[in-house]
Amino acid sequence: MTATRVLVLNSGSSSVKYQLLDMRDSSRLANGLVERIGEQSSRLRHTPLATGGGSREWTGPIADHDAALKAVAEELAKDGLGLDSPELAAIGHRVVHGGKHFTEPTVIDDAVLAEIERLIPVAPLHNPANLTGIRTATALRPDLPQVAVFDTAFHTTMPEAAARYAIDVETADAHRVRRYGFHGTSHAYVSRATAKLLGKAPEEVNVIVLHLGNGASASAVEKGRCVDTSMGLTPLEGLVMGTRSGDTDPAVIFHLARVGEMSIDEIDTLLNKKSGLIGLCGDNDMREIRRRIDEGDERAKLAFDIYIHRLKKYIGAYYAVLGHVDAVAFTAGVGENAAPVREAAVAGLGSLGLAVDDELNTVRGDEPRLISPAGARVAVAVVPTDEELEIATQTYALVKR
Ligand code: AMP
């Protein structure tokens, strides 16, 4: 029997998201989520898509990632999709930080684990959780290939001019301070899907990808290769996000430490968790912000305007970086769903060939689609991202025989 299934695992500090796919036709067999691992009220939600059955939910204490993955394995087994199945070809792990070293998806061995561990200082929130997921899955199926798919890999093609900060080179290199970029799996998938939508090969087009979710990043993709992206050493740089500030003057940090007497940890929390949309207006859900704006709420309007202003600056910057742009693609929760964000982001950019058609912009759907007027110089598109499919595709390509 040929093994054609891939389990995709996205392990966070207190959660595990998973999806089981059959790579013969990229169909989803099951997906689910374990949340609040380590608490009394952990929750598992499992949807057996293959059998068409409804979601099953379970609440109770799940002590650690090991217990979480065992619970997931039990749920899968109930539908004949257990992790012991000979049809399972590999487990693909989302790993947030692969540094400069990992430019491709990689079959995990001891040396790979050690390198992911060495990168913990630059990804203290994410890499430890990803490592726990890998170790737990390996213990369950030691014979199975475990593949790491890195969020940073797509951005390793950035030229030094884009990847380096203008700080002392020796200091930067000693501490691995450079711009790595994140959401790479999404930027890779969406830039390719945008080329396909235009009827072209990825090597034939230049695309600006705007991944606007709760975390948000932009990338400039030249002929299929990333040449710049808005996130940097960590996911804090760049666009205004749900709870992250994006770009600020680094001196804001010294000022808050010296004058505001805040600790480094307090400033870290401020900029990563209490800034962006939530810091500006108290809400980080774009639906709620739009609702408040419709009711005349000034703070929500200001938050929206700051969000759009930053987004527009990055569109302009990446237009200049690429020189010629074939398409601008909106993706992720906000990018795929919020027509007013798309409209406002390109408003006034007609002289760059950028515009949206009001009617096309409000059409909803799950498929990639154009929202620019017919005959527009630059295509503007909505391209739903699919990070799980991309991780599964990259994983399967590496292990299939
Ligand atoms: P993501 O991180 O890609 O899952 O995106 C999550 C974010 O997408 C939420 O915080 C919302 O701000 C936004 N979002 C989701 N659905 C909608 C919608 N229908 N309209 C506007 N924003 C949405």
Side-chain angles (χ1 to χ4, degrees), residues 255-372:
H255 180 79
L256 291 176
R258 292 184 186 128
V259 180
E261 293 183 4
M262 291 174 73
S263 70
I264 289 296
D265 286 343
E266 284 169 341
I267 301 170
D268 190 332
T269 303
L270 174 82
L271 296 180
N272 274 297
K273 305 239 166 81
K274 298 181 180 171
S275 295
L277 293 171
I278 205 148
L280 289 166
C281 74
D283 271 309
N284 62 337
D285 191 316
M286 193 52 82
R287 286 164 288 202
E288 188 57 19
I289 291 171
R290 290 302 310 173
R291 195 191 59 70
R292 284 173 54 187
I293 293 172
D294 289 343
E295 288 176 352
D297 186 316
E298 289 296 329
R299 269 186 74 188
K301 172 82 170 66
L302 180 61
F304 185 82
D305 289 349
I306 295 170
Y307 183 95
I308 296 296
H309 182 78
R310 185 82 52 84
L311 190 54
K312 202 173 259 195
K313 287 207 313 199
Y314 270 92
I315 294 173
Y318 288 172
Y319 208 116
V321 165
L322 291 168
H324 167 85
V325 177
D326 296 287
V328 174
F330 287 89
T331 194
V334 176
E336 291 167 30
N337 295 298
V341 168
R342 299 191 295 254
E343 184 189 339
V346 303
L349 300 185
S351 64
L352 297 179
L354 282 166
V356 297
D357 177 284
D358 290 343
E359 219 164 286
L360 292 175
N361 190 29
T362 48
V363 174
R364 300 188 67 86
D366 297 332
E367 295 298 315
R369 57 197 182 274
L370 290 174
I371 57 168
S372 40

Side-chain angles (χ1 to χ4, degrees), residues 170-318:
E170 279 74 34
T171 308
D173 288 352
H175 299 287
R176 297 205 253 187
V177 174
R178 61 187 279 119
R179 309 190 58 255
Y180 295 100
F182 298 89
H183 292 144
T185 322
S186 178
H187 287 284
Y189 176 85
V190 171
S191 56
R192 280 201 286 273
T194 306
K196 194 170 165 206
L197 179 67
L198 301 183
K200 299 264 176 77
E203 299 75 32
E204 293 175 310
V205 290
N206 291 352
V207 185
I208 296 173
V209 178
L210 304 171
H211 177 111
L212 311 177
N214 196 32
S217 62
S219 68
V221 183
E222 184 176 46
K223 298 184 168 51
R225 290 161 66 86
C226 178
V227 292
D228 206 350
T229 193
S230 60
M231 286 177 166
L233 174 73
T234 77
L236 183 56
E237 191 180 341
L239 299 174
V240 176
M241 312 183 207
T243 67
R244 297 188 196 118
S245 61
D247 297 336
T248 55
D249 182 342
V252 167
I253 297 167
F254 322 142
H255 180 79
L256 291 176
R258 292 184 186 128
V259 180
E261 293 183 4
M262 291 174 73
S263 70
I264 289 296
D265 286 343
E266 284 169 341
I267 301 170
D268 190 332
T269 303
L270 174 82
L271 296 180
N272 274 297
K273 305 239 166 81
K274 298 181 180 171
S275 295
L277 293 171
I278 205 148
L280 289 166
C281 74
D283 271 309
N284 62 337
D285 191 316
M286 193 52 82
R287 286 164 288 202
E288 188 57 19
I289 291 171
R290 290 302 310 173
R291 195 191 59 70
R292 284 173 54 187
I293 293 172
D294 289 343
E295 288 176 352
D297 186 316
E298 289 296 329
R299 269 186 74 188
K301 172 82 170 66
L302 180 61
F304 185 82
D305 289 349
I306 295 170
Y307 183 95
I308 296 296
H309 182 78
R310 185 82 52 84
L311 190 54
K312 202 173 259 195
K313 287 207 313 199
Y314 270 92
I315 294 173
Y318 288 172

